[in-house]
Amino acid sequence: MATRLVQINMKARDDSALGGFWAQALGWEISSEGPGVTNLEPEGFVYPDPVAVCVDLIVSSEPKTVKNRVHVDLATTSAAHQAQVVARLTDLGATAADVGQGGVPWTVMADPEGNEFCVLEPRALYRDTGPIAAVVVDCADPRAMARFWSEATDWTLHEVTDQGARLRSAKGVGPYLEFVRTPDVKSGWNRVHLDVRPYPGDDPEVEAARLRSLGATPIDLGQDVPWRVLADPEGNEFCLLTPG
């Protein structure tokens, strides 16, 4: 048994407006499954497919107070393209952000609600990922996180060091999932988190038990919902959706 990383869940004060920004940033289609929910996926996408990790924006009144522990890196194909992407996103409402990165070849930005993301310089590694090069998670121990997430999902571990780890779908398509060592301590709920889904026919109870055996802990939000909320070994919340 295994799960698949299917989407990024992002809290938003205005899910429709922020969804509009990210739809234009990624060149993706926008839809909604109900009030307070905005869904983004590539044109013609058949969910779920590892060729893309979709984005769900969920309305929330809670303010953003700290740097997100989960963010996306955007791919570019040349220095000129990187500059064009930065300029276009600035026109859409993004701003430059300083997270202590110093002099780096990538550009750190924040979306209109302050969520950090990076526009990367061109890298051969990301030439076929689509607009999202990687989903990046800050962590204290990349090796431990890589061990958990490679066993929790069917994604393949490509690289692991004391400073970072990189996974990708076993099908070799779509963005990477990366864990980067950071001294920052997790504070409060993650406004951006990962959603995983079991395969059709798998028993969600059995899968939840398997994830707990790997080091996940259950979180009780007191809500009657069909999905399960858990936290990985470093306390990052994630949702185990229904099989499909």
Side-chain angles (χ1 to χ4, degrees):
M1 297 180 67
T3 65
R4 297 157 291 166
L5 175 57
V6 293
Q7 60 201 34
I8 304 164
N9 184 299
M10 181 183 298
K11 300 297 184 286
R13 293 190 303 273
D14 186 333
D15 64 285
S16 180
L18 193 60
F21 167 85
W22 279 106
Q24 292 183 75
L26 300 173
W28 285 6
E29 293 185 329
I30 188 169
S31 62
S32 176
E33 61 191 67
V37 181
T38 298
N39 313 105
L40 307 179
E41 60 185 36
E43 182 179 357
F45 182 77
V46 179
Y47 177 92
D49 186 327
V51 72
V53 173
C54 299
V55 180
D56 276 9
L57 298 105
I58 310 298
V59 71
S60 172
S61 60
E62 295 182 7
K64 182 181 185 297
T65 58
V66 297
K67 175 181 176 290
N68 290 336
R69 293 189 70 78
V70 180
H71 72 267
V72 297
D73 285 351
L74 304 185
T76 63
T77 57
S78 66
H81 183 219
Q82 182 186 15
Q84 292 168 2
V85 170
V86 170
R88 183 171 64 84
L89 295 180
T90 300
D91 289 343
L92 292 174
T95 55
D98 185 351
V99 295
Q101 69 270 21
V104 293
W106 59 88
T107 302
V108 183
M109 307 189 77
D111 71 18
E113 291 200 7
N115 298 296
E116 302 85 3
F117 66 96
C118 298
V119 181
L120 300 180
E121 75 284 4
R123 302 183 193 180
L125 179 68
Y126 303 129
R127 65 182 180 274
D128 63 348
T129 60
I132 298 179
V135 181
V136 183
V137 182
D138 292 349
C139 67
D141 188 342
R143 292 186 183 276
M145 291 289 276
R147 186 181 311 114
F148 171 82
W149 282 97
S150 63
E151 294 180 4
T153 68
D154 62 358
W155 283 36
T156 301
L157 181 62
H158 283 248
E159 180 183 357
V160 60
T161 69
D162 290 340
Q163 299 305 313
R166 179 179 294 117
L167 290 75
R168 197 183 194 190
S169 164
K171 295 186 177 180
V173 296
Y176 288 84
L177 175 62
E178 299 182 353
F179 299 95
V180 177
R181 182 183 292 277
T182 173
D184 299 337
V185 177
K186 184 177 184 294
S187 174
W189 290 85
N190 287 347
R191 288 182 64 82
V192 182
H193 71 253
L194 308 179
D195 285 348
V196 299
R197 186 181 292 278
Y199 280 89
D202 284 352
D203 186 330
E205 292 288 349
V206 173
E207 185 58 33
R210 188 184 73 87
L211 292 172
R212 292 195 299 270
S213 74
L214 295 175
T217 54
I219 297 176
D220 184 2
L221 300 179
Q223 294 177 299
D224 183 17
V225 293
W227 59 86
R228 291 160 178 76
V229 183
L230 301 103
D232 69 19
E234 291 201 3
N236 298 296
E237 302 84 12
F238 68 96
C239 290
L240 175 65
L241 306 180
T242 56

